[in-house]
Amino acid sequence: MSGVHDCDEYALEPTLENILEQTSLKWIFVGGKGGVGKTTTSCSLAIQLARVRSSVLIISTDPAHNLSDAFRQKFTKTPTLVNGFDNLHAMEVDPNPDVSELETMEGLEEGGFLAEISSSIPGIDEAMSFAEVMKRVQSMDYSCIVFDTAPTGHTLRLLQFPTTLEKGLGKLMSLKDSFGGILSTASSLLSGPGSEDMLTGIMEKLEKLKEIVEEVNAQFKSADLTTFVCVCIPEFLSLYETERLVQELAKFEIDCRNIVINQVIFPEEVGSSRLLQARVRMQQKYLEQFYDLYEDFHIVKMPLLEEEVRGNDSLRSFSDNLITPYSQSSLEDLDKQVLMNEADHLRSKLEQVEQKLAQMN
């Protein structure tokens, strides 16, 4: 087996063009091990999607939000238009429960009757918080939504939330059906007159929430509507984490057919550096394993650059590598174009200065 893989050796093209072409996709998750470039990849993918979709929303569910850093623009839990775009919005949400927000829900206040019941269901608080986020997002009119997720372990829990909540709410509903009379009597004794109506209202709200969660759960398991993009780097721990993630996604019945490998050093760029030569040999070993393990995946190799990718211009340029396989010549063409643009700008400035000098004379 050769040390370097050419694009034409594989049946599946080494790009994310398949995601852009699948217009039915609504939910796109981007995830992987910490520190492999998930945010840069998700931002780059969102930029490419904004070129072919009417409206795109990118959401960060990582408590250590990086969208603001990547775009050099402050984002909050309210969708904000990304500077330089007219159809790309971004928001940063905390998937962990906001106690103050949850307590505003009738019956879920501290010491509330329903709160006592729901607290006995593991993970229900985080799942309820996630359901509220999904309810808000579903009410927004976006063509597709990109999730910049937290590191693998948190992401797997996030993807479990719809199932967890569906089961939890199902238990609550069955409790109501089985012990409706007893619950009403107990609620009246504990909370006073009018509490039966309150309990009915709470159950109706939970029933509506359950319907939303069931719909989201079904959509997540539909390959027409949802896909997951795994992000990694060509090193052992990242390869191991990616395999774990792919296996877990299969258990959740979530489509996954794209892998983005960041920080790849291409042999033609090494020169005489012994350190880089050693890194290339190490990376090639793991790249071979990626190709062997995921021969039915679209594998996209993204270059390790001299500078970090931050700001709209850098992200736009970097995002092109998701659609057109990276090569040294394409980088040289990009550098040439950037230099030409700068030369045009300087030429324009020079002309303005010459005109001012002519007016002074």
Side-chain angles (χ1 to χ4, degrees), residues 37-48 51 58 66-73 75 82-83 85 88 302 305 308-322 334:
K38 295 184 297 297
T39 299
T40 302
T41 301
S42 59
C43 291
S44 298
L45 179 55
I47 287 172
Q48 288 296 327
R51 294 177 178 176
I58 179 169
N66 294 314
L67 288 185
S68 296
D69 295 328
F71 282 109
R72 289 180 173 169
Q73 178 183 347
F75 298 116
V82 178
N83 292 336
F85 295 87
L88 175 59
M302 301 292 277
L305 301 180
E308 60 183 354
V309 181
R310 287 187 65 202
N312 282 2
D313 292 339
S314 295
L315 285 168
R316 284 178 192 268
S317 299
F318 190 71
S319 72
D320 290 337
N321 296 312
L322 292 174
L334 179 62

Side-chain angles (χ1 to χ4, degrees), residues 29-87:
F29 290 88
V30 179
K33 187 177 178 292
V36 297
K38 295 184 297 297
T39 299
T40 302
T41 301
S42 59
C43 291
S44 298
L45 179 55
I47 287 172
Q48 288 296 327
L49 284 164
R51 294 177 178 176
V52 297
R53 295 291 193 102
S54 58
S55 58
V56 179
L57 174 66
I58 179 169
I59 301 179
S60 170
T61 59
D62 187 344
H65 298 305
N66 294 314
L67 288 185
S68 296
D69 295 328
F71 282 109
R72 289 180 173 169
Q73 178 183 347
K74 180 62 180 173
F75 298 116
T76 63
K77 60 182 180 181
T78 303
T80 305
L81 188 65
V82 178
N83 292 336
F85 295 87
D86 58 10
N87 65 337

Side-chain angles (χ1 to χ4, degrees), residues 5 9 30 63 118 133 135 143 175 211 216 266 269 276 316 332 357:
H5 286 270
E9 289 182 41
V30 179
S118 63
V133 171
K135 189 165 71 172
S143 174
L175 272 175
E211 289 173 6
V216 168
F266 289 78
E269 299 173 5
L276 290 180
R316 284 178 192 268
E332 289 171 355
L357 286 173

Side-chain angles (χ1 to χ4, degrees), residues 67-195:
L67 288 185
S68 296
D69 295 328
F71 282 109
R72 289 180 173 169
Q73 178 183 347
K74 180 62 180 173
F75 298 116
T76 63
K77 60 182 180 181
T78 303
T80 305
L81 188 65
V82 178
N83 292 336
F85 295 87
D86 58 10
N87 65 337
L88 175 59
H89 291 76
M91 63 187 288
E92 296 179 331
V93 298
D94 190 349
N96 296 315
D98 184 336
V99 177
S100 62
E101 287 186 10
L102 286 180
E103 286 180 354
T104 60
M105 291 181 65
E106 191 177 12
L108 284 176
E109 66 276 359
E110 188 176 354
F113 183 61
L114 188 62
E116 294 296 325
I117 299 175
S118 63
S119 63
S120 64
I121 303 171
I124 192 73
D125 52 352
E126 288 181 295
M128 288 282 282
S129 178
F130 177 69
E132 285 298 307
V133 171
M134 295 306 296
K135 189 165 71 172
R136 287 211 318 266
V137 168
Q138 278 215 314
S139 66
M140 301 170 187
D141 186 24
Y142 290 101
S143 174
C144 72
I145 296 160
V146 179
F147 285 86
D148 174 37
T149 67
T152 308
H154 294 283
T155 301
L156 294 175
R157 286 178 64 198
L158 183 74
L159 295 173
Q160 276 181 312
F161 284 166
T163 302
T164 302
L165 193 54
E166 194 175 336
K167 288 178 180 177
L169 292 175
K171 286 182 181 178
L172 284 176
M173 295 301 145
S174 64
L175 272 175
K176 179 182 178 294
D177 293 338
S178 302
F179 306 104
I182 297 173
L183 286 175
S184 298
T185 304
S187 181
S188 299
L189 290 171
L190 291 169
S191 306
S195 56

